[in-house]
Amino acid sequence: MTAGAASAEIRFETESWNFGEIPEEPGPAEYVFRFTNTGNAPLLLRSVVASCGCTTPSWSRDTVAPDSSGSIKVSY
């Protein structure tokens, strides 16, 4: 990266989550990963992929400005 070049950087409050034992009741188990754009350029999440096919991520398609926050909700 060139000195002074604009770039987005993402910093998560929590980088992983273990759902543990999930009770068999109606509705999904969910967790929200919160993050901050610590860079100096806008951040746009174009794709989010879970490490397990049984979890479904959803996120805002809006651009996250520098020093602003966003989230990714994961449902199991």
Side-chain angles (χ1 to χ4, degrees), residues 9-14 32-38 43 45 48 59-60 62 64 68-72:
E9 293 182 32
I10 190 168
R11 177 162 299 167
F12 284 92
E13 290 178 4
T14 305
V32 178
F33 290 93
R34 300 188 192 292
F35 64 86
T36 301
N37 178 1
T38 58
L43 171 68
L45 299 179
V48 175
W59 67 99
S60 170
D62 297 334
V64 179
S68 294
S69 298
S71 62
I72 300 168

Side-chain angles (χ1 to χ4, degrees), residues 41-58:
L43 171 68
L44 179 61
L45 299 179
R46 295 176 193 226
S47 176
V48 175
V49 178
S51 63
C52 174
C54 54
T55 54
T56 305
S58 63

